Amino acid sequence: MQPLKAILIDDELSSLQNLQQKLREFCPDVEVIATTQKPEEAILLIRQHRPDVIFLDIEMPRMNGFRMLDELGEFDFDIIFTTAYNHYAVDAIRISAFDYLMKPIAIKDLQHAVERLAKHRQLNTKDKLDVLKQSLGSSRSQEEKIAIPTTDGLEFIPIHTILHIESSSNYSKLYLQNGKSLLVTKLLKDFEDMLLPYRFYRIHNSHLINLQYIEKYIKGEGGQVRLTNGTVLDVSRRKKEEFLKLIAG
């Protein structure tokens, strides 16, 4: 297999050199064809070299990573974002199914990101970017979506249509408002981290629920919740007190 052609974009020279060195030493499937500290120059390099993937710093002066992509217009490469800040942008990136690396970048995290990329090239990058931009908007929309990986690509699901998510070993099963369900190769913890800002709550090791669909709480040791579709789920004893405070507030 041909190495993936990569361009690295970061306004900090030390970060740029560090990432390039780690890719050279630990990721033989990636060939760095250009690096730049200037987003404006990155646009020219991308158009000239047509990379398979760019490693893009989010926070850059004058033009951040998102604005650079807007200026670029059409493109057909994958993106791995890099950031030193664990803030709202990371939540948005998770929702949109882009990969990201937290600085300082750990070798294992970098290798895993490259492995995932090699397995899942060209997964609706434009659609993912639309979801990302929407997630970064100032107000949360009822039509805000989450990108769900499937066997043949990505499915974009409106977040408000997810009733609950159930853990199934290394998989998670999403139950939707229309009666459909999806089995996804993600842990329930991944969905918990992504959906916490959207009023989802993990009532049990096996259950993450959308609080807007609770119809009734049934008393018991931990108790149970009944959702609007009739599904009854257990609440764990250790979650009971926090959960009751949450729904009463």
Short mmCIF file of all heavy atoms in Angstrom, two decimals, residues 200-231:
data_model
loop_
_atom_site.label_atom_id
_atom_site.label_comp_id
_atom_site.label_asym_id
_atom_site.label_seq_id
_atom_site.Cartn_x
_atom_site.Cartn_y
_atom_site.Cartn_z
N PHE A 200 -28.06 14.19 27.88
CA PHE A 200 -28.05 12.74 28.00
C PHE A 200 -27.43 12.40 29.35
O PHE A 200 -26.54 13.12 29.84
CB PHE A 200 -27.23 12.10 26.88
CG PHE A 200 -27.96 11.97 25.58
CD1 PHE A 200 -28.22 13.10 24.80
CD2 PHE A 200 -28.38 10.74 25.10
CE1 PHE A 200 -28.89 13.00 23.59
CE2 PHE A 200 -29.04 10.62 23.89
CZ PHE A 200 -29.31 11.75 23.13
N TYR A 201 -27.89 11.31 29.96
CA TYR A 201 -27.37 10.94 31.28
C TYR A 201 -27.23 9.42 31.34
O TYR A 201 -28.11 8.68 30.91
CB TYR A 201 -28.32 11.43 32.39
CG TYR A 201 -27.79 11.15 33.77
CD1 TYR A 201 -26.79 11.96 34.33
CD2 TYR A 201 -28.27 10.08 34.52
CE1 TYR A 201 -26.30 11.71 35.61
CE2 TYR A 201 -27.78 9.82 35.79
CZ TYR A 201 -26.78 10.63 36.33
OH TYR A 201 -26.29 10.37 37.57
N ARG A 202 -26.10 8.99 31.92
CA ARG A 202 -25.85 7.55 32.06
C ARG A 202 -26.44 7.07 33.38
O ARG A 202 -25.89 7.30 34.45
CB ARG A 202 -24.35 7.27 32.00
CG ARG A 202 -24.04 5.78 31.87
CD ARG A 202 -22.60 5.58 31.46
NE ARG A 202 -22.27 4.17 31.31
CZ ARG A 202 -21.10 3.72 30.84
NH1 ARG A 202 -20.17 4.59 30.46
NH2 ARG A 202 -20.86 2.44 30.74
N ILE A 203 -27.59 6.40 33.30
CA ILE A 203 -28.30 5.97 34.51
C ILE A 203 -27.78 4.64 35.04
O ILE A 203 -28.12 4.24 36.16
CB ILE A 203 -29.83 5.85 34.24
CG1 ILE A 203 -30.10 4.84 33.11
CG2 ILE A 203 -30.45 7.20 33.94
CD1 ILE A 203 -31.57 4.48 32.94
N HIS A 204 -26.96 3.95 34.24
CA HIS A 204 -26.53 2.59 34.56
C HIS A 204 -25.29 2.30 33.72
O HIS A 204 -25.06 2.96 32.71
CB HIS A 204 -27.67 1.62 34.20
CG HIS A 204 -27.49 0.21 34.65
ND1 HIS A 204 -26.70 -0.68 33.95
CD2 HIS A 204 -28.01 -0.47 35.70
CE1 HIS A 204 -26.74 -1.85 34.56
NE2 HIS A 204 -27.52 -1.75 35.63
N ASN A 205 -24.48 1.33 34.13
CA ASN A 205 -23.32 0.94 33.32
C ASN A 205 -23.70 0.64 31.87
O ASN A 205 -22.91 0.84 30.96
CB ASN A 205 -22.63 -0.29 33.90
CG ASN A 205 -21.71 0.06 35.05
OD1 ASN A 205 -21.35 1.23 35.21
ND2 ASN A 205 -21.34 -0.92 35.86
N SER A 206 -24.92 0.16 31.69
CA SER A 206 -25.34 -0.29 30.36
C SER A 206 -26.26 0.68 29.62
O SER A 206 -26.62 0.43 28.48
CB SER A 206 -26.07 -1.65 30.47
OG SER A 206 -25.23 -2.61 31.04
N HIS A 207 -26.68 1.78 30.27
CA HIS A 207 -27.71 2.62 29.66
C HIS A 207 -27.39 4.11 29.73
O HIS A 207 -27.14 4.66 30.80
CB HIS A 207 -29.07 2.39 30.33
CG HIS A 207 -29.52 0.97 30.32
ND1 HIS A 207 -29.75 0.27 29.16
CD2 HIS A 207 -29.78 0.10 31.34
CE1 HIS A 207 -30.13 -0.96 29.46
NE2 HIS A 207 -30.15 -1.09 30.77
N LEU A 208 -27.43 4.75 28.56
CA LEU A 208 -27.34 6.21 28.44
C LEU A 208 -28.66 6.67 27.84
O LEU A 208 -29.07 6.19 26.79
CB LEU A 208 -26.17 6.57 27.52
CG LEU A 208 -25.93 8.06 27.23
CD1 LEU A 208 -25.41 8.77 28.48
CD2 LEU A 208 -24.93 8.23 26.08
N ILE A 209 -29.34 7.61 28.52
CA ILE A 209 -30.67 7.99 28.04
C ILE A 209 -30.73 9.47 27.70
O ILE A 209 -29.98 10.29 28.24
CB ILE A 209 -31.78 7.66 29.07
CG1 ILE A 209 -31.62 8.51 30.35
CG2 ILE A 209 -31.79 6.18 29.40
CD1 ILE A 209 -32.81 8.43 31.28
N ASN A 210 -31.64 9.80 26.79
CA ASN A 210 -31.95 11.19 26.45
C ASN A 210 -33.03 11.65 27.43
O ASN A 210 -34.15 11.14 27.43
CB ASN A 210 -32.47 11.25 25.01
CG ASN A 210 -32.65 12.66 24.51
OD1 ASN A 210 -32.83 13.59 25.30
ND2 ASN A 210 -32.62 12.84 23.20
N LEU A 211 -32.69 12.62 28.28
CA LEU A 211 -33.59 13.00 29.37
C LEU A 211 -34.93 13.55 28.88
O LEU A 211 -35.92 13.50 29.61
CB LEU A 211 -32.90 14.03 30.27
CG LEU A 211 -31.67 13.52 31.05
CD1 LEU A 211 -31.03 14.66 31.82
CD2 LEU A 211 -32.06 12.39 31.99
N GLN A 212 -34.97 14.04 27.65
CA GLN A 212 -36.23 14.61 27.16
C GLN A 212 -37.28 13.53 26.91
O GLN A 212 -38.46 13.84 26.77
CB GLN A 212 -36.01 15.43 25.90
CG GLN A 212 -35.67 14.64 24.66
CD GLN A 212 -35.66 15.50 23.41
OE1 GLN A 212 -36.61 16.24 23.15
NE2 GLN A 212 -34.59 15.42 22.64
N TYR A 213 -36.87 12.26 26.87
CA TYR A 213 -37.82 11.18 26.58
C TYR A 213 -38.23 10.39 27.82
O TYR A 213 -38.85 9.34 27.70
CB TYR A 213 -37.25 10.24 25.51
CG TYR A 213 -37.14 10.90 24.17
CD1 TYR A 213 -35.89 11.14 23.59
CD2 TYR A 213 -38.27 11.32 23.48
CE1 TYR A 213 -35.78 11.77 22.36
CE2 TYR A 213 -38.18 11.94 22.25
CZ TYR A 213 -36.93 12.17 21.69
OH TYR A 213 -36.82 12.79 20.47
N ILE A 214 -37.91 10.88 29.02
CA ILE A 214 -38.38 10.20 30.23
C ILE A 214 -39.87 10.48 30.41
O ILE A 214 -40.31 11.62 30.41
CB ILE A 214 -37.63 10.71 31.48
CG1 ILE A 214 -36.15 10.34 31.40
CG2 ILE A 214 -38.24 10.11 32.75
CD1 ILE A 214 -35.33 10.92 32.54
N GLU A 215 -40.61 9.41 30.56
CA GLU A 215 -42.06 9.54 30.80
C GLU A 215 -42.39 9.38 32.28
O GLU A 215 -43.28 10.05 32.80
CB GLU A 215 -42.80 8.48 29.98
CG GLU A 215 -44.31 8.60 30.02
CD GLU A 215 -44.98 7.60 29.09
OE1 GLU A 215 -45.02 6.40 29.44
OE2 GLU A 215 -45.44 8.01 28.01
N LYS A 216 -41.63 8.48 32.95
CA LYS A 216 -41.95 8.20 34.36
C LYS A 216 -40.73 7.61 35.07
O LYS A 216 -39.95 6.87 34.47
CB LYS A 216 -43.12 7.21 34.43
CG LYS A 216 -43.60 6.90 35.84
CD LYS A 216 -44.79 5.96 35.82
CE LYS A 216 -45.30 5.70 37.25
NZ LYS A 216 -46.46 4.78 37.26
N TYR A 217 -40.57 7.99 36.35
CA TYR A 217 -39.59 7.32 37.21
C TYR A 217 -40.35 6.39 38.13
O TYR A 217 -41.32 6.79 38.78
CB TYR A 217 -38.79 8.33 38.02
CG TYR A 217 -37.91 7.66 39.07
CD1 TYR A 217 -36.75 6.98 38.69
CD2 TYR A 217 -38.27 7.68 40.41
CE1 TYR A 217 -35.95 6.34 39.63
CE2 TYR A 217 -37.47 7.04 41.37
CZ TYR A 217 -36.32 6.37 40.97
OH TYR A 217 -35.55 5.72 41.89
N ILE A 218 -39.90 5.14 38.22
CA ILE A 218 -40.56 4.13 39.05
C ILE A 218 -39.66 3.85 40.25
O ILE A 218 -38.50 3.49 40.10
CB ILE A 218 -40.79 2.83 38.24
CG1 ILE A 218 -41.61 3.14 36.97
CG2 ILE A 218 -41.47 1.77 39.08
CD1 ILE A 218 -41.52 2.08 35.90
N LYS A 219 -40.19 4.02 41.47
CA LYS A 219 -39.40 3.86 42.69
C LYS A 219 -38.89 2.43 42.82
O LYS A 219 -39.52 1.48 42.38
CB LYS A 219 -40.25 4.22 43.92
CG LYS A 219 -40.54 5.70 44.04
CD LYS A 219 -41.34 5.96 45.30
CE LYS A 219 -41.66 7.45 45.46
NZ LYS A 219 -42.48 7.69 46.67
N GLY A 220 -37.75 2.31 43.51
CA GLY A 220 -37.16 1.00 43.76
C GLY A 220 -35.79 1.19 44.37
O GLY A 220 -35.41 2.31 44.73
N GLU A 221 -35.03 0.10 44.52
CA GLU A 221 -33.69 0.19 45.12
C GLU A 221 -32.85 1.23 44.37
O GLU A 221 -32.26 2.12 44.95
CB GLU A 221 -33.02 -1.18 45.09
CG GLU A 221 -31.79 -1.24 45.97
CD GLU A 221 -31.24 -2.65 46.09
OE1 GLU A 221 -31.73 -3.56 45.40
OE2 GLU A 221 -30.30 -2.84 46.87
N GLY A 222 -32.80 1.06 43.07
CA GLY A 222 -32.21 2.10 42.23
C GLY A 222 -33.33 2.81 41.48
O GLY A 222 -33.26 3.98 41.15
N GLY A 223 -34.38 2.04 41.26
CA GLY A 223 -35.52 2.54 40.52
C GLY A 223 -35.40 2.23 39.04
O GLY A 223 -34.43 1.61 38.59
N GLN A 224 -36.40 2.63 38.30
CA GLN A 224 -36.42 2.43 36.85
C GLN A 224 -36.97 3.68 36.18
O GLN A 224 -37.68 4.47 36.81
CB GLN A 224 -37.29 1.22 36.48
CG GLN A 224 -36.78 -0.11 37.00
CD GLN A 224 -37.75 -1.24 36.66
OE1 GLN A 224 -38.96 -1.13 36.92
NE2 GLN A 224 -37.24 -2.32 36.08
N VAL A 225 -36.64 3.84 34.91
CA VAL A 225 -37.29 4.89 34.12
C VAL A 225 -38.06 4.24 32.98
O VAL A 225 -37.64 3.22 32.42
CB VAL A 225 -36.27 5.89 33.54
CG1 VAL A 225 -35.65 6.71 34.63
CG2 VAL A 225 -35.21 5.22 32.71
N ARG A 226 -39.20 4.84 32.69
CA ARG A 226 -39.95 4.43 31.50
C ARG A 226 -39.85 5.57 30.49
O ARG A 226 -40.14 6.73 30.82
CB ARG A 226 -41.41 4.14 31.82
CG ARG A 226 -42.17 3.55 30.62
CD ARG A 226 -43.55 3.07 31.00
NE ARG A 226 -44.44 4.20 31.26
CZ ARG A 226 -45.40 4.20 32.18
NH1 ARG A 226 -45.58 3.15 32.96
NH2 ARG A 226 -46.18 5.26 32.34
N LEU A 227 -39.43 5.23 29.29
CA LEU A 227 -39.30 6.22 28.23
C LEU A 227 -40.60 6.34 27.46
O LEU A 227 -41.50 5.51 27.59
CB LEU A 227 -38.14 5.85 27.30
CG LEU A 227 -36.78 5.67 27.96
CD1 LEU A 227 -35.72 5.35 26.90
CD2 LEU A 227 -36.37 6.91 28.74
N THR A 228 -40.70 7.36 26.62
CA THR A 228 -41.95 7.62 25.90
C THR A 228 -42.33 6.52 24.92
O THR A 228 -43.50 6.41 24.53
CB THR A 228 -41.85 8.96 25.14
OG1 THR A 228 -40.65 8.95 24.33
CG2 THR A 228 -41.79 10.13 26.09
N ASN A 229 -41.36 5.67 24.53
CA ASN A 229 -41.69 4.56 23.63
C ASN A 229 -42.05 3.29 24.39
O ASN A 229 -42.22 2.23 23.80
CB ASN A 229 -40.52 4.27 22.68
CG ASN A 229 -39.32 3.70 23.39
OD1 ASN A 229 -39.19 3.84 24.61
ND2 ASN A 229 -38.42 3.07 22.65
N GLY A 230 -42.15 3.39 25.74
CA GLY A 230 -42.54 2.24 26.56
C GLY A 230 -41.38 1.44 27.11
O GLY A 230 -41.58 0.56 27.96
N THR A 231 -40.16 1.72 26.69
CA THR A 231 -38.98 1.00 27.19
C THR A 231 -38.76 1.33 28.67
O THR A 231 -38.81 2.49 29.07
CB THR A 231 -37.72 1.39 26.39
OG1 THR A 231 -37.91 1.03 25.03
CG2 THR A 231 -36.49 0.68 26.92
#
